[in-house]
Amino acid sequence: MTHVHVVGFGMGPHHLTGEAVAALAATDYVLAVRKGERDELLDVRRRICAAHGVELVEVADPERDRDDPADYPGAVKAWHHARVEAFANVLEQRRGTAGFLVWGDPSLYDSTLRIIDQLAARIDLTWDVVPGISAPQLLAARHRIVLHEVGQPVHVTTARRLPEALDAGERNVLVMLASEASLTTLDALPDWRIWWGANLGTDGEELVAGSVGGVLPEIRAARDRARDRAGWVMDAYLLRAPSEKS
Amino acid sequence: MTHVHVVGFGMGPHHLTGEAVAALAATDYVLAVRKGERDELLDVRRRICAAHGVELVEVADPERDRDDPADYPGAVKAWHHARVEAFANVLEQRRGTAGFLVWGDPSLYDSTLRIIDQLAARIDLTWDVVPGISAPQLLAARHRIVLHEVGQPVHVTTARRLPEALDAGERNVLVMLASEASLTTLDALPDWRIWWGANLGTDGEELVAGSVGGVLPEIRAARDRARDRAGWVMDAYLLRAPSEKS
């Protein structure tokens, strides 16, 4: 029998909970994909495994067919399938208790649980999930804010779906998987407030807060700075409509 | 100068992160209110402080005037004000580095950061926030689910505001501060799916998942069981509309 712990590690090793540390202590090996020469997310996993004395089994990320852009969904599906196959091969060979280390929390915009579902359909498997600190939580902690006004909702969505959230009348929106394009959407909201962060929890973390109209240039500059420093940028932000009272 | 660490401790001591443990190690004393004879949330704080060698300063919860139900908002405001005064008195006397231990995460439906804002307007204070695992994350971990469908939003709201979220067309809603009354709202949604949990992270934890129509009686029974066992019940759930494809 093979058991898997899916462990959220938050924005870094310092976010591991006591429960996560106990799960790692009961883990024979951690599985992770290796994406290329420079892979910071793999480096974090290496550091966590080394610190907790767990073997890290690195699986080379399957090649993704980029030759036929016309069949993009097909290529992505084949790539996901190949990744599941690669994990399944290791699990079938090694068995015991394996771990997957998830950046942030497995419950928000992460594909690990979907991969586990596919693995469980293919091989004999049990699994559990250990939650981790998510990016919105660190964003809120850094800005020392609650994510909503008293008793009000917070709508969590992706940058791609921000326009439809605004069209639907959402007035307090947490945007994840932000992008350069999503910042353009903000041009139409100068009076809204924004609490923004990039590369949260890393040395190159950037934070900006204020009225959208006032701080948007600063956000663009900070976003570029974060990307220049790390070679990548991941940002998230909370957007809030101006108060109806004022 | 007085500094305050606002530390989320998740659903229990096993959810403390490494960062939270470090913050406690740098804390001279933790402030908490004592509400009455039986106060499980205070007991958890006592256990955490004892385990991490931090003094716990208990402040008696100010009396709340319940004689004049006509002035409910006024009574609550006076009660909040008295609580801030009680904390301010200790902080002014003791100074140094104080801590507040927050159940779950300080960024979701918690009043601690509002209290800190009020304290900071009254006395000389600096503060930072350490995030903790929130109830929705533990709910998702227990049910081993992602809180949204691929690339889709999740709308986080209170049970009281669930009807307006449904009216606005939300199809994937995380409900916090649930109540007996909010379950009545579910009677109209028999085809929706629900992932429900009560008293998460405690010995009396209850979990139910399925179609609303199929499991609502089971949820009501589990809710009663959780309350009978603990003397209180806190529940949260994810509601998802039936797929439009089917």
Side-chain angles (χ1 to χ4, degrees), chain B residues 211-236:
Chain B
S211 73
V212 170
V215 300
L216 204 46
E218 197 182 333
I219 288 176
R220 290 184 197 275
R223 196 171 198 280
D224 289 344
R225 201 161 51 230
R227 196 204 292 103
D228 288 347
R229 179 159 176 175
W232 52 273
V233 59
M234 287 183 70
D235 48 347

mmCIF file of all heavy atoms in Angstrom, chain B residues 211-236:
data_model
loop_
_atom_site.group_PDB
_atom_site.id
_atom_site.type_symbol
_atom_site.label_atom_id
_atom_site.label_comp_id
_atom_site.label_asym_id
_atom_site.label_seq_id
_atom_site.Cartn_x
_atom_site.Cartn_y
_atom_site.Cartn_z
ATOM 1 N N SER B 211 -24.517 15.787 -1.915
ATOM 2 C CA SER B 211 -25.488 16.729 -2.477
ATOM 3 C C SER B 211 -26.279 17.314 -1.316
ATOM 4 O O SER B 211 -26.580 16.616 -0.335
ATOM 5 C CB SER B 211 -26.423 16.024 -3.452
ATOM 6 O OG SER B 211 -27.340 15.217 -2.745
ATOM 7 N N VAL B 212 -26.608 18.585 -1.406
ATOM 8 C CA VAL B 212 -27.287 19.251 -0.291
ATOM 9 C C VAL B 212 -28.560 18.490 0.099
ATOM 10 O O VAL B 212 -28.797 18.195 1.272
ATOM 11 C CB VAL B 212 -27.612 20.723 -0.644
ATOM 12 C CG1 VAL B 212 -28.534 21.337 0.402
ATOM 13 C CG2 VAL B 212 -26.327 21.544 -0.751
ATOM 14 N N GLY B 213 -29.359 18.159 -0.928
ATOM 15 C CA GLY B 213 -30.607 17.461 -0.650
ATOM 16 C C GLY B 213 -30.381 16.131 0.064
ATOM 17 O O GLY B 213 -31.169 15.723 0.917
ATOM 18 N N GLY B 214 -29.283 15.467 -0.285
ATOM 19 C CA GLY B 214 -29.019 14.147 0.288
ATOM 20 C C GLY B 214 -28.470 14.185 1.699
ATOM 21 O O GLY B 214 -28.745 13.279 2.494
ATOM 22 N N VAL B 215 -27.679 15.214 2.024
ATOM 23 C CA VAL B 215 -26.948 15.171 3.297
ATOM 24 C C VAL B 215 -27.412 16.198 4.333
ATOM 25 O O VAL B 215 -26.884 16.215 5.457
ATOM 26 C CB VAL B 215 -25.410 15.329 3.090
ATOM 27 C CG1 VAL B 215 -24.873 14.203 2.203
ATOM 28 C CG2 VAL B 215 -25.063 16.695 2.527
ATOM 29 N N LEU B 216 -28.393 17.033 3.987
ATOM 30 C CA LEU B 216 -28.787 18.081 4.928
ATOM 31 C C LEU B 216 -29.253 17.516 6.287
ATOM 32 O O LEU B 216 -28.851 18.044 7.337
ATOM 33 C CB LEU B 216 -29.840 18.994 4.295
ATOM 34 C CG LEU B 216 -29.957 20.412 4.849
ATOM 35 C CD1 LEU B 216 -28.615 21.086 5.020
ATOM 36 C CD2 LEU B 216 -30.856 21.263 3.945
ATOM 37 N N PRO B 217 -30.044 16.437 6.311
ATOM 38 C CA PRO B 217 -30.427 15.876 7.611
ATOM 39 C C PRO B 217 -29.192 15.408 8.410
ATOM 40 O O PRO B 217 -29.119 15.602 9.622
ATOM 41 C CB PRO B 217 -31.327 14.686 7.239
ATOM 42 C CG PRO B 217 -31.817 14.983 5.858
ATOM 43 C CD PRO B 217 -30.712 15.744 5.188
ATOM 44 N N GLU B 218 -28.230 14.825 7.683
ATOM 45 C CA GLU B 218 -27.001 14.347 8.321
ATOM 46 C C GLU B 218 -26.198 15.526 8.904
ATOM 47 O O GLU B 218 -25.616 15.431 9.990
ATOM 48 C CB GLU B 218 -26.180 13.620 7.250
ATOM 49 C CG GLU B 218 -25.084 12.716 7.771
ATOM 50 C CD GLU B 218 -24.304 12.070 6.615
ATOM 51 O OE1 GLU B 218 -24.868 11.886 5.510
ATOM 52 O OE2 GLU B 218 -23.115 11.781 6.828
ATOM 53 N N ILE B 219 -26.172 16.643 8.172
ATOM 54 C CA ILE B 219 -25.471 17.834 8.657
ATOM 55 C C ILE B 219 -26.135 18.368 9.925
ATOM 56 O O ILE B 219 -25.448 18.692 10.906
ATOM 57 C CB ILE B 219 -25.437 18.934 7.560
ATOM 58 C CG1 ILE B 219 -24.465 18.525 6.444
ATOM 59 C CG2 ILE B 219 -25.039 20.291 8.147
ATOM 60 C CD1 ILE B 219 -24.427 19.472 5.267
ATOM 61 N N ARG B 220 -27.477 18.421 9.921
ATOM 62 C CA ARG B 220 -28.173 18.907 11.118
ATOM 63 C C ARG B 220 -27.856 18.027 12.329
ATOM 64 O O ARG B 220 -27.597 18.525 13.432
ATOM 65 C CB ARG B 220 -29.688 18.930 10.879
ATOM 66 C CG ARG B 220 -30.137 20.006 9.898
ATOM 67 C CD ARG B 220 -31.666 20.034 9.798
ATOM 68 N NE ARG B 220 -32.116 20.755 8.609
ATOM 69 C CZ ARG B 220 -32.274 22.070 8.545
ATOM 70 N NH1 ARG B 220 -32.014 22.817 9.589
ATOM 71 N NH2 ARG B 220 -32.671 22.644 7.428
ATOM 72 N N ALA B 221 -27.829 16.715 12.114
ATOM 73 C CA ALA B 221 -27.538 15.790 13.219
ATOM 74 C C ALA B 221 -26.092 15.971 13.698
ATOM 75 O O ALA B 221 -25.825 15.995 14.908
ATOM 76 C CB ALA B 221 -27.782 14.354 12.768
ATOM 77 N N ALA B 222 -25.156 16.118 12.741
ATOM 78 C CA ALA B 222 -23.745 16.264 13.095
ATOM 79 C C ALA B 222 -23.513 17.584 13.828
ATOM 80 O O ALA B 222 -22.690 17.669 14.755
ATOM 81 C CB ALA B 222 -22.873 16.198 11.833
ATOM 82 N N ARG B 223 -24.253 18.612 13.404
ATOM 83 C CA ARG B 223 -24.143 19.921 14.048
ATOM 84 C C ARG B 223 -24.589 19.836 15.513
ATOM 85 O O ARG B 223 -23.938 20.375 16.413
ATOM 86 C CB ARG B 223 -25.015 20.913 13.275
ATOM 87 C CG ARG B 223 -24.718 22.346 13.563
ATOM 88 C CD ARG B 223 -25.450 23.280 12.602
ATOM 89 N NE ARG B 223 -24.812 24.580 12.660
ATOM 90 C CZ ARG B 223 -25.036 25.472 13.613
ATOM 91 N NH1 ARG B 223 -25.899 25.215 14.564
ATOM 92 N NH2 ARG B 223 -24.379 26.617 13.616
ATOM 93 N N ASP B 224 -25.718 19.134 15.749
ATOM 94 C CA ASP B 224 -26.208 18.958 17.118
ATOM 95 C C ASP B 224 -25.199 18.162 17.955
ATOM 96 O O ASP B 224 -24.934 18.487 19.106
ATOM 97 C CB ASP B 224 -27.561 18.224 17.108
ATOM 98 C CG ASP B 224 -28.673 19.107 16.555
ATOM 99 O OD1 ASP B 224 -28.476 20.334 16.474
ATOM 100 O OD2 ASP B 224 -29.737 18.560 16.203
ATOM 101 N N ARG B 225 -24.642 17.113 17.329
ATOM 102 C CA ARG B 225 -23.676 16.261 18.018
ATOM 103 C C ARG B 225 -22.448 17.080 18.443
ATOM 104 O O ARG B 225 -21.968 16.969 19.568
ATOM 105 C CB ARG B 225 -23.272 15.127 17.077
ATOM 106 C CG ARG B 225 -22.692 13.917 17.752
ATOM 107 C CD ARG B 225 -22.769 12.693 16.817
ATOM 108 N NE ARG B 225 -22.211 12.972 15.495
ATOM 109 C CZ ARG B 225 -22.830 12.707 14.346
ATOM 110 N NH1 ARG B 225 -24.037 12.161 14.341
ATOM 111 N NH2 ARG B 225 -22.244 12.992 13.199
ATOM 112 N N ALA B 226 -21.959 17.936 17.519
ATOM 113 C CA ALA B 226 -20.780 18.769 17.822
ATOM 114 C C ALA B 226 -21.092 19.712 18.981
ATOM 115 O O ALA B 226 -20.273 19.880 19.896
ATOM 116 C CB ALA B 226 -20.361 19.566 16.586
ATOM 117 N N ARG B 227 -22.312 20.309 18.973
ATOM 118 C CA ARG B 227 -22.670 21.251 20.033
ATOM 119 C C ARG B 227 -22.840 20.531 21.364
ATOM 120 O O ARG B 227 -22.390 21.015 22.405
ATOM 121 C CB ARG B 227 -23.935 22.023 19.677
ATOM 122 C CG ARG B 227 -24.096 23.256 20.578
ATOM 123 C CD ARG B 227 -25.508 23.745 20.729
ATOM 124 N NE ARG B 227 -26.053 24.302 19.499
ATOM 125 C CZ ARG B 227 -26.903 23.674 18.698
ATOM 126 N NH1 ARG B 227 -27.305 22.440 18.981
ATOM 127 N NH2 ARG B 227 -27.365 24.274 17.629
ATOM 128 N N ASP B 228 -23.467 19.361 21.322
ATOM 129 C CA ASP B 228 -23.660 18.588 22.555
ATOM 130 C C ASP B 228 -22.314 18.224 23.183
ATOM 131 O O ASP B 228 -22.146 18.269 24.395
ATOM 132 C CB ASP B 228 -24.433 17.301 22.264
ATOM 133 C CG ASP B 228 -25.904 17.583 21.959
ATOM 134 O OD1 ASP B 228 -26.342 18.728 22.217
ATOM 135 O OD2 ASP B 228 -26.594 16.674 21.465
ATOM 136 N N ARG B 229 -21.364 17.893 22.322
ATOM 137 C CA ARG B 229 -20.076 17.433 22.832
ATOM 138 C C ARG B 229 -19.222 18.571 23.398
ATOM 139 O O ARG B 229 -18.632 18.440 24.469
ATOM 140 C CB ARG B 229 -19.319 16.724 21.706
ATOM 141 C CG ARG B 229 -17.971 16.251 22.138
ATOM 142 C CD ARG B 229 -17.436 15.158 21.257
ATOM 143 N NE ARG B 229 -16.082 14.816 21.678
ATOM 144 C CZ ARG B 229 -15.371 13.837 21.182
ATOM 145 N NH1 ARG B 229 -15.896 13.060 20.259
ATOM 146 N NH2 ARG B 229 -14.153 13.602 21.602
ATOM 147 N N ALA B 230 -19.177 19.693 22.656
ATOM 148 C CA ALA B 230 -18.263 20.774 23.045
ATOM 149 C C ALA B 230 -18.942 21.879 23.844
ATOM 150 O O ALA B 230 -18.281 22.663 24.511
ATOM 151 C CB ALA B 230 -17.613 21.375 21.799
ATOM 152 N N GLY B 231 -20.265 21.964 23.758
ATOM 153 C CA GLY B 231 -20.963 23.082 24.391
ATOM 154 C C GLY B 231 -21.053 24.289 23.465
ATOM 155 O O GLY B 231 -21.654 25.306 23.805
ATOM 156 N N TRP B 232 -20.454 24.177 22.273
ATOM 157 C CA TRP B 232 -20.501 25.246 21.275
ATOM 158 C C TRP B 232 -20.324 24.590 19.915
ATOM 159 O O TRP B 232 -19.860 23.446 19.814
ATOM 160 C CB TRP B 232 -19.373 26.273 21.504
ATOM 161 C CG TRP B 232 -18.018 25.658 21.610
ATOM 162 C CD1 TRP B 232 -17.431 25.169 22.753
ATOM 163 C CD2 TRP B 232 -17.085 25.395 20.539
ATOM 164 N NE1 TRP B 232 -16.197 24.627 22.461
ATOM 165 C CE2 TRP B 232 -15.953 24.758 21.112
ATOM 166 C CE3 TRP B 232 -17.093 25.640 19.160
ATOM 167 C CZ2 TRP B 232 -14.855 24.359 20.356
ATOM 168 C CZ3 TRP B 232 -15.988 25.249 18.412
ATOM 169 C CH2 TRP B 232 -14.884 24.623 19.014
ATOM 170 N N VAL B 233 -20.707 25.298 18.877
ATOM 171 C CA VAL B 233 -20.475 24.775 17.529
ATOM 172 C C VAL B 233 -20.073 25.920 16.606
ATOM 173 O O VAL B 233 -20.657 27.001 16.626
ATOM 174 C CB VAL B 233 -21.717 24.011 16.993
ATOM 175 C CG1 VAL B 233 -22.960 24.906 16.937
ATOM 176 C CG2 VAL B 233 -21.448 23.422 15.606
ATOM 177 N N MET B 234 -18.985 25.692 15.846
ATOM 178 C CA MET B 234 -18.573 26.639 14.801
ATOM 179 C C MET B 234 -18.467 25.833 13.522
ATOM 180 O O MET B 234 -17.684 24.882 13.461
ATOM 181 C CB MET B 234 -17.222 27.265 15.136
ATOM 182 C CG MET B 234 -17.318 28.275 16.275
ATOM 183 S SD MET B 234 -15.733 29.079 16.631
ATOM 184 C CE MET B 234 -15.542 30.097 15.166
ATOM 185 N N ASP B 235 -19.249 26.197 12.520
ATOM 186 C CA ASP B 235 -19.159 25.432 11.280
ATOM 187 C C ASP B 235 -18.899 26.322 10.075
ATOM 188 O O ASP B 235 -19.090 27.536 10.104
ATOM 189 C CB ASP B 235 -20.352 24.504 11.061
ATOM 190 C CG ASP B 235 -21.708 25.164 11.267
ATOM 191 O OD1 ASP B 235 -21.751 26.279 11.810
ATOM 192 O OD2 ASP B 235 -22.713 24.569 10.877
ATOM 193 N N ALA B 236 -18.411 25.704 9.037
ATOM 194 C CA ALA B 236 -18.089 26.377 7.780
ATOM 195 C C ALA B 236 -18.368 25.376 6.674
ATOM 196 O O ALA B 236 -18.330 24.171 6.905
ATOM 197 C CB ALA B 236 -16.628 26.800 7.758
#
